[in-house]
Amino acid sequence: MLHILTKAPDSDAAQQMLQAVGENDAIILTEAGVQAALHSEWGGFQLHSARIFLLAEDVTAWGLDDAVASQALTAVDIDGFIALTEQHVQTVTWY
Amino acid sequence: MTEPNGLLVIIRHAPYASNLLREGLDTALVAAAFGQPVDLLFLGQGIMALLHEQGNGAPGQKASRPTMDMLEMYDIERLWTSQEALQALELEPSQLLGSVEVLEAKRLPDFLKSYSQILNF
């Protein structure tokens, strides 16, 4: 399952999403969700560091390119986002 | 694992604070009216919609309780919530509407995976 988080890491949406993420799910952070790049200790990174993506266009819009680079996070562009939605049978958006 | 099937509507916002609860319930009712199996999962503030002692609506706002009672008429019988979400609000299952089933938070990932569509309100 692909989880799309559009809210910041301290939001209810983010906390509730973390409870719902399961084995071989993926998370993509969009809109305010990209702020997680500022919090290396965010629960999401501990949970599934391998499968977390950020939407590159939003990372740039929010001015967080350096944070993403310094934490070696994976940003994908909109095509990458679409590819992710194709790889997962189900998608759920947390906003 | 059986084929994922049906719609899960997740309600995460309280009645009256926004109309997200109303929109979520309306979406569930429409899907059910078209014969799709629908279940509702209440998390966080959404659990406030499950209290059986609800009054008849905040001043100037339509009550949400009647809509909750109408769910059964559309064959939406199973309302779900999680133990941890209940404890976070210091609520007991006995304070909820009769048709609410409580599952452990660790079962949420598999629970979600059993639905083909999931909408969040």
Side-chain angles (χ1 to χ4, degrees), chain A residues 9-82:
Chain A
D10 60 356
S11 64
D12 286 349
Q15 279 143 24
Q16 284 152 3
M17 177 193 76
L18 288 182
Q19 287 180 359
V21 174
E23 282 310 311
N24 42 54
D25 285 1
I27 298 171
I28 182 159
L29 304 173
T30 67
E31 299 171 28
V34 298
Q35 289 177 41
L38 297 169
H39 305 280
S40 58
E41 81 304 338
W42 178 49
F45 294 132
Q46 267 73 40
L47 207 62
H48 297 277
S49 53
R51 284 186 311 282
I52 295 201
F53 304 89
L54 297 94
L55 184 58
E57 285 81 348
D58 285 347
V59 169
T60 307
W62 284 71
L64 295 176
D65 287 297
D66 298 344
V68 167
S70 67
Q71 284 206 57
L73 297 172
T74 312
V76 291
D77 62 10
I78 197 74
D79 295 333
F81 184 6
I82 291 164

Side-chain angles (χ1 to χ4, degrees), chain B residues 5-120:
Chain B
N5 158 4
L7 168 67
L8 177 65
V9 173
I10 303 178
I11 303 281
R12 297 175 17 251
H13 293 88
Y16 316 126
S18 73
N19 44 31
L20 280 166
L21 169 70
R22 178 151 307 293
E23 286 166 12
L25 294 179
D26 290 349
T27 302
L29 291 169
V30 166
F34 280 92
Q36 208 187 20
V38 182
D39 278 345
L40 289 162
L41 171 66
F42 293 79
L43 294 175
Q45 283 292 302
I47 293 173
M48 301 312 286
L50 294 176
L51 292 178
H52 66 66
E53 273 168 20
Q54 285 171 59
N56 45 25
Q61 291 212 28
K62 195 162 158 277
S64 55
R65 178 60 194 274
T67 313
M68 293 300 293
D69 296 339
M70 214 164 56
L71 295 173
E72 239 168 310
M73 268 166 38
Y74 283 74
D75 302 334
I76 303 176
E77 279 119 11
R78 291 191 310 170
L79 311 180
W80 299 85
T81 186
S82 87
Q83 219 153 9
E84 287 71 3
L86 267 185
Q87 277 148 12
L89 295 174
E90 301 196 18
L91 284 172
E92 295 297 329
S94 57
Q95 297 172 272
L96 305 181
L97 299 173
S99 51
V100 179
E101 298 186 39
V102 182
L103 52 90
E104 284 167 322
K106 66 178 170 30
R107 281 191 48 225
L108 280 174
D110 290 339
F111 180 78
L112 260 68
K113 283 202 174 64
S114 63
Y115 294 93
S116 48
Q117 271 98 23
I118 302 168
L119 294 176
N120 235 311

